[in-house]
Amino acid sequence: MDNEKTKTKVIQKMRTGEVKASAIAHPNIAFVKYWGKRHTGTAREKLNIALNKSVSMTLSDLRTYTTVEFGDYDRDQIIMNGEEVRDERVIDHLNLIRREADIDKKAKVFTENNFPTASGIASSASGFAALTVAACKAAGLDYGERDLSILSRQGSGSACRSIFGGYVVWKKSKISSESYAEQLADENYWELRDLIAVVSEARKKVSSIDGMSMTVQTSPLYMARLEEADKNANHAIEAIKNKDFDSLGQTIEYDSLLMHATMITTTPALLYWAPPSVAIMHAVVDMREEGIPAYHTMDAGPNVHVITLPEYTDKVEKRLKEIDGVKSILNCGPGPGAQEVYKHLF
Ligand code: PMV
C-alpha cells in the first residue's frame, strides 16, 4: 500500500488543495456475530483481528455521512451529529490513514448518523467505513475495497463488512493483511427485511471493544461458542446461497443466543437485554408458531433485529408495535456498500 506512486499522488493532491472528500456507508446486521479478537500484544488489541468468521447483511436506509478535510488546522476537529467531540478512536484512525498516506496535516471531520448512535445498531460499522473511505480519498489514497476493508476493521471490527453491500463474509485469519471482508452476494440478490425494534436510544454502558475483551478473558462458555461460530458461519453462507430462509433464520437466532450466553456469563455480567428485548424475543417465537417466518438477533445493545421475508413485513411490524417498551421500528432491507459522494457537509 505504501508505495512511491501513491506518495507522489498524495503530494500532488496536497499541492492542488484537493484534500476534502465525503462518503456514505451503511451499518450491517451480523447474522453470525464477531465477538472476540486475537491478542496482538498491543494494549487494546487494536488490530481487531476476529477470532471467528462472521456473516452479515449491509442495511439500506440507515446511514452515516462523513466529510473529511486535511488542512492547516492546529488539531483534529470532529463534529459528530452537530456537536464537537473528542473521540480518541477517530483520532487513532486518522493517524493510521495519515501514516499510510505519509502526511501530517490535521483533519476536520463532519459526521452524521440518521439513526441512534452506539445503541446496538452498529453505528461504529457505518461510522468507520464512511470515515475510512472519505479520509483515504481526502489523503489521496486510491485504495481498492480489500484495503479499505482492512483499514476500516482497525477502526471497528464490524466496519470491515460495511465496505461491501448485500451479503458479506469476514473471513477468519491470524494476520492483519488477510483479515478482511468479501461480498457473498450483492444487495439485489435476495430481499430480506430487518425490522429493528428500538427499545432504547441510549448509548450502551459497556462498549463492544471492552465487552468482548472481558468475555474472552472470563466467560467459561467462550471457547465452546468459538467452535460453533465458525460452523454457524458456514451454515449461514450455505443458506444464503440456497436462499433457504428457515435454515438461515435458525442459524441467526442460535448464533445470537450463543453470543449472548457468553456475554451473560462474563465477569462482571454483560446483560445487554432490557425487559422489552425479552418480550420481543417471545413474540417472535409466538409468531413462528403461527406460521410467520421471523427470527430475532441482537448485538451489544437492547434493540432487537427481527429478520423476516418482505411479504410478512406489515404483519411483523404490527405485532412488534403492540409490545410495551417498543419505541419505534426501523425497516431495512439489504443495502449498498460504502461509497464516495461528491456533496460535502462543510
Ligand atoms: O465492530 P465492533 O467493535 O463494534 O463489534 C461488533 C460486535 C457485534 O455487533 C456484537 C457483532 C458483529 O459482528 O457486528
Side-chain angles (χ1 to χ4, degrees), residues 302-321:
N303 301 318
V304 186
H305 296 247
V306 181
I307 313 297
T308 190
L309 291 167
E311 56 271 34
Y312 293 92
T313 309
D314 291 347
K315 267 191 188 156
V316 175
E317 194 165 350
K318 187 169 172 287
R319 288 288 286 274
L320 293 175
K321 276 185 178 154

Side-chain angles (χ1 to χ4, degrees), residues 49-70:
I49 300 172
L51 282 164
N52 68 277
K53 190 169 175 177
S54 56
V55 180
S56 61
M57 179 174 89
T58 301
L59 299 176
S60 64
D61 298 277
L62 310 184
R63 54 119 187 97
T64 301
Y65 195 147
T66 301
T67 298
V68 178
E69 180 181 51
F70 290 102

Side-chain angles (χ1 to χ4, degrees), residues 331-345:
N331 183 344
C332 307
Q339 277 156 1
E340 185 181 8
V341 290
Y342 300 95
K343 192 168 171 251
H344 305 307
L345 293 175

